[in-house]
């Protein structure tokens, strides 16, 4: 009998170890997807970092330089929902590594092409790769996260960090070797694609099960999805407006660089914090609290004197980024039969609204002052909060992984 109890204890302990190993494997999948996400979104930040070198070494004017930025942002934003609709019709996991390499290739070629048109097309190619990546990768991250808001926030954090670190990669490289060194910028895409391929292979057997369960989850709630899209649009206007002009508002130079660093670092903190709070409070409540807090935070950026403004810059970034990963999962749950479309809109089209409206913020600044222009941004998190109050947390559509043969964990 003692032998029996000893044996039972051993198998219980072994099962516990297995569950721990399984959790570790799942966490590793999300970490690798997050690194891949960083490897793509670094190219969104790389294009603005390229512009000063194009101006200095090729003599581009402000209009030509803005056209380069527009080639990446506008094309990516418009095409992203199209790729989302395509991935709703059929699974295309191969699109993830291909799009990553396309994004990297476009930026790599932009520095060695001859003539403005070829440079514009190279940057547009990178934007196309970024657009193709997000809908299918968000679907894969949803499967890998298995309903965990914290894990999904890690995936979003990867993109935030990739965008924020782009100037750190691009500026020293091109300062040292010039635009001719731009082919080296393809390396983040290559590393990210290799890491993501391992996750795609690991989760391939779960894909059909996830699709079938999502389609049987119920009808799409388009009314809620449209309201969520407007929430994201208003949030984007506030954040992009801040990121475009806060460095100038703080005086430029070192003070402006510190302001941008605080803004980007706050975004990383907010992304992780939002996932953790959603696990306790639910996604919609977290979103409401974040946007309610963002109103005085953005106001403080304009009204706080001296160094206190940096505190409010951090607070504004944290509160505006806390709901970021929650937007994606909410959109997917509002449209359970169109996960790709939901991902394309929440990650692409709605977010780009801030970039499209930032020239209006600049026009207000020229007509009055930068302080007045930034003060106008206060209204947008308030609008996001008001619309968020009309939303309700849907029941999440969480696909259960299909166990692999001979394994209870499916690893």
């Amino acid at each position: 009998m003692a032998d029996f109890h000893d044996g039972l204890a051993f198998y219980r302990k072994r099962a516990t170890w297995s569950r721990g190993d399984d959790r570790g494997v799942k966490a590793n999948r999300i970490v690798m997807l997050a690194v891949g996400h960083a490897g793509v979104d670094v190219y969104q930040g790389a294009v603005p970092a390229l512009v000063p070198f194009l101006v200095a070494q090729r003599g581009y004017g402000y209009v030509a330089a803005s056209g380069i930025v527009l080639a990446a942002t506008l094309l990516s934003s418009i095409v992203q929902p199209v790729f989302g609709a395509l991935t709703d019709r059929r699974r295309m996991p191969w699109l993830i590594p291909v799009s990553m390499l396309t994004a990297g290739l476009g930026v790599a070629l932009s520095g060695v092409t001859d003539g403005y048109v070829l440079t514009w097309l190279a940057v547009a190619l990178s934007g196309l790769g970024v657009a193709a990546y997000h809908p299918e990768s968000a679907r894969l991250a949803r499967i890998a996260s298995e309903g965990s808001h914290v894990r999904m926030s890690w995936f979003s954090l990867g993109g935030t960090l990739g965008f924020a670190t782009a100037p750190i990669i691009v500026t020293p490289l091109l300062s040292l070797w010039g635009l001719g060194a731009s082919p080296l910028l393809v390396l983040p895409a290559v590393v990210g694609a290799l890491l993501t391929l391992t996750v795609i292979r690991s989760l391939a057997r779960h894909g059909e099960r996830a699709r079938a369960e999502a389609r049987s989850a119920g009808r799409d709630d388009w009314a809620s999805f449209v309201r969520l899209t407007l929430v994201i649009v208003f949030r984007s206007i506030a954040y992009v407006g801040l990121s475009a002009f806060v460095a100038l508002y703080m005086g430029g130079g070192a003070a402006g660089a510190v302001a941008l660093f605080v803004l980007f670092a706050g975004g990383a903190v907010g992304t992780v914090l939002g996932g953790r709070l959603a696990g306790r409070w639910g996604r919609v409540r977290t979103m409401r609290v974040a946007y309610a807090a963002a109103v005085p935070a953005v106001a403080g950026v304009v009204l706080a004197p001296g160094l206190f403004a940096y505190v409010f810059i951090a607070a504004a970034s944290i509160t505006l980024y806390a709901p970021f990963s929650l937007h994606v999962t909410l959109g997917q749950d509002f449209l359970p039969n169109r996960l790709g479309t939901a991902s394309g809109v929440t990650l692409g089209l709605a977010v780009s609204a801030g970039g499209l409206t930032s020239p209006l913020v600049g026009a207000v600044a020229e007509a009055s002052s930068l302080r007045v222009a930034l003060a106008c941004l206060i209204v947008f998190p308030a609008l996001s909060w008001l619309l968020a109050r009309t939303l309700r947390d849907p029941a999440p559509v969480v696909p259960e992984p299909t166990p692999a043969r001979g394994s209870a964990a499916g690893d």
Side-chain angles (χ1 to χ4, degrees):
M1 182 63 69
D3 291 340
F4 171 77
H5 285 297
D6 289 343
L8 186 60
F10 171 77
Y11 282 110
R12 283 176 177 168
K13 191 176 294 185
R14 183 176 178 183
T16 302
W17 293 338
S18 256
R19 286 194 295 271
D21 291 344
D22 185 45
R23 284 193 295 269
V25 168
K26 292 172 182 175
N28 287 338
R29 289 171 180 162
I30 285 293
V31 169
M32 286 190 287
L33 286 175
V35 173
H37 195 184
V40 167
D41 280 7
V42 72
Y43 297 109
Q44 295 195 75
V47 173
L50 276 168
V51 166
F53 296 95
L54 294 172
V55 170
Q57 297 182 33
R58 296 186 179 176
Y60 291 168
Y62 291 127
V63 174
S66 62
I68 293 292
V69 176
L70 194 64
T73 56
L74 185 60
L75 182 65
S76 175
S77 304
I78 292 174
V79 175
Q80 201 153 249
V82 176
F83 279 106
L86 289 175
T87 58
D88 283 333
R89 293 180 176 274
R90 58 187 305 171
R91 288 180 62 246
M92 295 188 288
W94 56 267
L95 186 62
I96 298 175
V98 169
S99 61
M100 297 171 82
L101 295 174
T102 302
L105 182 63
V107 167
L109 292 175
S110 64
V112 294
T113 51
D114 292 326
Y116 181 80
V117 173
L118 289 178
T119 301
W120 193 95
L121 290 174
V123 172
L125 179 68
S126 180
L128 189 66
V130 171
Y133 167 83
H134 281 100
E136 188 68 12
S137 67
R139 185 204 304 277
L140 190 69
R142 179 187 179 86
I143 296 171
S145 66
E146 295 187 356
S148 169
H149 301 309
V150 174
R151 290 178 192 160
M152 199 66 184
S153 70
W154 292 352
F155 174 72
S156 297
L157 176 63
T160 303
L161 294 178
F163 182 86
T165 57
I168 301 173
I169 298 172
V170 174
T171 302
L173 180 68
L174 300 190
S175 295
L176 187 60
W177 289 313
L179 286 171
S182 66
L184 295 175
L185 294 174
V186 78
L187 291 177
V190 174
V191 173
L194 291 174
L195 288 176
T196 306
L197 272 173
T198 63
V199 183
I200 291 173
R201 292 182 61 185
S202 175
L203 293 176
R205 59 180 174 268
H206 304 328
E208 290 301 331
R209 173 76 174 271
R211 177 180 289 267
E213 293 194 8
R215 289 193 179 280
S216 64
R219 291 187 297 179
D220 295 327
D221 185 354
W222 282 100
S224 295
F225 182 76
V226 169
R227 291 197 297 273
L228 175 66
T229 300
L230 290 174
V231 167
I232 302 170
V233 167
F234 293 138
R235 175 260 175 203
S236 175
I237 293 172
Y239 183 80
V240 175
L242 279 175
S243 63
F245 297 104
V246 74
L248 291 174
Y249 180 72
M250 295 302 293
V258 171
L260 284 178
F261 174 79
V262 171
L263 190 75
F264 291 148
V269 172
T271 301
V272 175
L273 180 64
R276 293 191 176 277
L277 291 178
R280 295 184 178 183
W281 296 348
R283 290 170 293 180
V284 170
R285 183 185 176 193
T286 299
M287 191 165 58
R288 292 172 183 166
V289 171
Y291 285 129
V295 175
V298 175
V301 174
V302 180
L303 301 174
L307 295 177
F308 288 106
Y310 288 105
V311 176
F312 285 99
I313 291 171
S317 182
I318 291 170
T319 52
L320 289 173
Y321 252 98
F324 187 68
S325 64
L326 311 182
H327 294 154
V328 181
T329 58
L330 275 170
Q332 291 174 334
D333 286 341
F334 285 139
L335 300 184
N337 300 305
R338 293 175 174 82
L339 300 184
T341 298
S343 302
V345 172
T346 54
L347 285 171
L349 186 61
V351 175
S352 70
L356 298 178
T357 57
S358 58
L360 296 177
V361 180
V364 173
E366 288 188 356
S368 53
S369 69
L370 193 52
R371 186 186 185 96
V372 171
L374 292 182
C376 293
L377 299 178
I378 299 171
V379 71
F380 293 103
L383 291 173
S384 291
W385 172 72
L386 288 172
L387 277 170
R389 288 176 58 85
T390 69
L391 297 174
R392 296 291 179 269
D393 241 318
V397 183
V398 182
E400 292 294 332
T402 305
R405 290 181 185 175
S407 169
D411 291 328

